Amino acid sequence: MLPWIQLDTAKIPGGGELRLKQRGTEFSIMLGTNELMNSRLSGSEEALATLAFERIATHKRPHILIGGLGMGFTLRAALAVLPQDAKVTVAELVPAVVDWARGPMAEIYAGSLDDPRVAIHVGDVGTLIAKSKGQFDAILLDVDNGPDGLTREANDGLYSHDGLRKSKSALTRGGMLGVWSQGPDQHFTRRLKDCGYGVEEIPVRAGRTGRGKKHVIWMAKNGPLAQKG
């Protein structure tokens, strides 16, 4: 088996360090002993985009905010389903991650950063959300391994009652807040409901073929869910 090679490191504002590793054609981004993402497993990150689009498909000229560039799985999945008049803003806190996307991992990104619908915002997604009012049809957060500040403690605010209310204010009517997680969190589900979202908690597999670990995606609507039946 080929050994892992460390290609680069990057400091996270506020503390911590990311490590980009490669083994053959496989890439991994690590935070300490935690693997934040792997190029072989993209199914649930892609589902974050497709599940959101299914719920805002009637919105005209949709504007999507993606928190966390990662390996671009959510971005590429969004571009595949969004109309040509859509706009996608990607907020990435660590500048080196954008450099990795245009450098060693360029083949994985397949030119998605150059799509005219895409704008890259290098900065904190929470700050961007806080100053946006009724701007986004969907906010998709994949900046941690779940609704807590794993990559940095400051991210905890995204998942607090205050942070969830700010996201709600930044959404259009009927807009969706999507949050990716490596597992369930009943306390986070309750906070979403407390803030007035219509909440779906959806299990998804890590792999594209329906295999791998079971992850969780919350789809939280700015408004009540439609009644079934």
Side-chain angles (χ1 to χ4, degrees):
M1 181 177 291
L2 292 172
W4 283 104
I5 299 171
Q6 183 165 295
L7 300 181
D8 199 10
T9 63
K11 296 294 184 183
I12 302 171
E17 182 180 77
L18 297 179
R19 292 181 291 134
L20 176 64
K21 301 170 67 176
Q22 182 177 9
R23 181 174 64 186
T25 59
E26 179 183 359
F27 291 89
S28 174
I29 296 179
M30 304 284 295
L31 174 66
T33 59
N34 291 302
E35 183 175 61
L36 297 181
M37 58 206 74
N38 185 291
S39 59
R40 294 186 299 105
L41 299 171
S42 61
S44 57
E45 287 87 352
E46 292 167 354
L48 181 61
T50 55
L51 288 169
F53 178 70
E54 288 170 3
R55 289 155 176 77
I56 63 163
T58 60
H59 290 217
K60 303 298 183 183
R61 296 183 295 279
H63 186 179
I64 309 300
L65 171 62
I66 298 175
L69 177 59
M71 291 186 177
F73 299 133
T74 301
L75 171 60
R76 293 200 311 279
L79 293 175
V81 294
L82 286 168
Q84 290 304 307
D85 61 358
K87 181 178 179 181
V88 182
T89 298
V90 182
E92 173 52 55
L93 181 67
V94 183
V97 173
V98 181
D99 295 336
W100 296 344
R102 296 190 182 280
M105 293 194 293
E107 187 173 345
I108 294 175
Y109 280 83
S112 57
L113 296 186
D114 298 319
D115 190 298
R117 295 171 290 178
V118 175
I120 301 296
H121 171 83
V122 179
D124 179 32
V125 67
T127 301
L128 182 58
I129 288 171
K131 66 181 183 181
S132 303
K133 304 299 179 185
Q135 185 171 343
F136 303 112
D137 297 281
I139 297 172
L140 309 179
L141 298 179
D142 184 11
V143 295
D144 293 289
N145 271 6
D148 58 71
L150 174 68
T151 55
R152 63 181 195 136
E153 290 183 5
N155 283 354
D156 281 337
L158 289 170
Y159 316 110
S160 67
H161 284 92
D162 182 60
L164 293 175
R165 291 187 185 102
K166 287 176 179 176
S167 288
K168 199 167 189 286
S169 179
L171 289 168
T172 58
R173 183 177 179 85
M176 302 298 302
L177 171 64
V179 179
W180 183 96
S181 176
Q182 64 178 353
D185 185 330
Q186 62 181 353
H187 299 294
F188 182 62
T189 300
R190 173 49 56 190
R191 289 199 297 276
L192 286 167
K193 292 178 178 179
D194 288 345
C195 293
Y197 289 94
V199 183
E200 298 173 84
E201 187 175 330
I202 305 168
V204 291
R205 292 288 183 181
R208 289 181 176 179
T209 60
R211 296 181 179 180
K213 293 181 179 179
K214 188 177 288 186
H215 296 154
V216 172
I217 291 175
W218 284 273
M219 282 287 131
K221 185 178 181 181
N222 183 14
L225 296 174
Q227 294 295 317
K228 295 182 179 180

